[in-house]
Amino acid sequence: MAKTFPEGFLWGGSTAANQIEGAWNEGGRGPATSDFARLITKQIRDTEGTFDVHVPHNAASKEMVEDMKAHPENWELPKRRGIDFYHTYKDDIKLFAEMGFKVFRMSISWSRIFPNGDDAIPNEEGLKFYDAVFDELHKYGIEPLVTLSHFDTPLHLAEEYGGFLSRHTVEAFEKYAETVIRRYKGKVKYWLTFNEINNVLSNPFTSSGVIFDGAPEPSSCNPYLGHWQEKFQAVHNQFVASALATKKLHEIDPDAKMGNMLCRLENYAESPKPEDQLQVMFEDHFNWFFTDVQATGEYPYYMQRFFDENNIHIEMGKDDTKILKEGAVDFITISYYMTYIMRYKGSPVPQPIGRLLSDIKNPYLPKSDWGWTIDPIGFRITLNRIYDRYHKPIFISENGLGAVDHFDEKGQIQDDYRIDYMRAHVEQLREAIADGVDVFGYAWWGPIDLISSGTSEMTKRYGMIYVDQDDYGKGTGKRLRKKSFYYYKKLIASNGADL
Ligand code: P53
């Protein structure tokens, strides 16, 4: 008999503080990079970039941040309001419990705990808020899985220190991690360090707090290509910060576990041409790199050539090698949304594409309303490849479908497209488990509609719970169960048998 979902499998949903909490200047919270993410609507995408290309949405330069500070009225900055979870968490968690959630992935907003990122003492009001959220989850037997940093570096650290370009930020992160690990010992068993740590390649400001002076206005398709020196230095420092946090967790709470978080990019060659396959290998390396370091505690052999040929010199602290080795993560987590097609770039020397989305279409796959390919079999392939590489337990941090939802004549949302996406992916997850891959949980991205990370839209909805709020913050904020709510509830109740 093939293996299937193990008993105690962690079914649930996944969110991030900056996309749900709102209350950006309440409760003593300091500003974070996410407060400077502007709304990108389809209109902007059509004029400033093609539909499928990842148009940068965040402040790309010091100048832009300054302008957003001086003239906030000229900018639409939806992450500041989120979906008001800061005030609605009790009702929202009740709905998650109704669906039968076993796990809730969320993040702590660093600047709620340390408003400047590096203050001498933590903000008690911020700490109390998360105490209340964790208590509420435990009331229903839901395990919190907590990301320490999900695209919201404290602005002060970004502006004064260039974020993770500086070791000062590493020290501040270690102190922040230690503070919350001590405080929530016994309440939080599963932690992650940095969300989609490979996002440094396409969004260095959001994920790592790196601001470039006079960087191009976010209007061209790929303005972040290059800046390799800064990006790889910042991510090296994040690796060290991640390892230090992992070591602290093991010291303080030996029962707790730390995971990484990688935006997994599964790549296919455009043709059987060996050159296209070579490009797949390059891109694979630029994706595996991040998890190789976090899971094995060592830099993989293949990066040296890229560093040498591009004159990249990573400044290492004298104990870094040891810290990385001692701070390897306990389990692997990924986000999985789609697969990508690679075409040879004409250079036998490794070069990453430098952004998350490839613009070559796969003719065999359907696409979402946002042009993301839908590839459930790719999910099984990717899970096998990860397990083959690391042999560590895997948790699915994110998987989901962003779509435009419509009400029917009865005022309900029949989101069969979302149900189909979920069914197909959970089916392939079950296949991967039958293949022998050790997966212990699955968190649907955005179980409740939230602010999109990439575009700051509300229109791009992932939820099984509808939130009455538009791109501009208008609406009653009321929550409503979609058809997928009942589907997921049934699926969880049967531990994945009732697909
Ligand atoms: P949105 C790009 C490609 C794949 C996943 O994304 C990505 C991104 C960055 O935007 O990010 C993750 O909201 C991220 C979440 C995010 C989710 O995917 O742009 O960890 O914060 O909301 C979905 O549709």
Side-chain angles (χ1 to χ4, degrees), residues 23 46 55 105 125 136 206-207 273 286 301 372 385 401 432:
D46 285 347
V55 177
R105 175 178 178 240
E125 212 179 330
E136 199 64 22
T206 338
S207 54
K273 266 205 323 233
F286 282 105
Y301 76 91
W372 293 16
R385 293 186 71 202
L401 176 74

Side-chain angles (χ1 to χ4, degrees), residues 336-407:
Y336 176 86
Y337 290 91
M338 56 193 144
T339 50
Y340 305 83
I341 299 290
M342 291 301 147
R343 178 186 300 156
Y344 187 50
K345 281 179 67 181
S347 159
V349 176
Q351 284 292 341
I353 54 174
R355 60 184 152 83
L356 290 181
L357 306 187
S358 108
D359 44 9
I360 307 169
K361 285 292 128 228
N362 187 330
Y364 300 101
L365 296 175
K367 287 183 288 183
S368 76
D369 293 340
W370 270 259
W372 293 16
T373 54
I374 299 176
D375 184 2
I377 292 175
F379 193 29
R380 175 180 175 185
I381 296 172
T382 230
L383 287 168
N384 271 275
R385 293 186 71 202
I386 292 170
Y387 196 55
D388 189 22
R389 200 170 178 100
Y390 304 113
H391 288 277
K392 291 194 184 198
I394 300 170
F395 180 87
I396 312 305
S397 273
E398 294 180 20
N399 174 236
L401 176 74
V404 181
D405 287 331
H406 298 285
F407 288 96

Side-chain angles (χ1 to χ4, degrees), residues 197-237:
I197 191 163
N198 48 323
N199 230 297
V200 69
L201 297 184
S202 44
N203 279 315
F205 176 64
T206 338
S207 54
S208 316
V210 178
I211 311 186
F212 295 110
D213 245 338
E217 244 303 280
S219 58
S220 57
C221 290
N222 199 4
Y224 296 128
L225 197 65
H227 295 291
W228 301 131
Q229 174 64 41
E230 292 88 345
K231 288 175 184 173
F232 283 97
Q233 183 64 54
V235 86
H236 171 75
N237 293 343

Side-chain angles (χ1 to χ4, degrees), residues 14-16 18-19 54 57-58 79 105 150-151 195-196 199 202-203 261 263-265 335-338 340 356-357 370 372 397-402 445-446 450-457 460-462:
S14 173
T15 61
N18 75 88
Q19 294 170 260
H54 194 65
H57 54 295
N58 296 292
K79 286 177 187 161
R105 175 178 178 240
H150 192 129
F151 300 168
N195 182 62
E196 293 189 342
N199 230 297
S202 44
N203 279 315
M261 173 23 171
C263 180
R264 176 67 192 133
L265 311 179
S335 59
Y336 176 86
Y337 290 91
M338 56 193 144
Y340 305 83
L356 290 181
L357 306 187
W370 270 259
W372 293 16
S397 273
E398 294 180 20
N399 174 236
L401 176 74
W445 173 256
L450 39 67
I451 309 290
S452 152
S453 177
T455 63
S456 291
E457 286 164 299
K460 190 178 190 185
R461 294 177 185 274
Y462 285 85

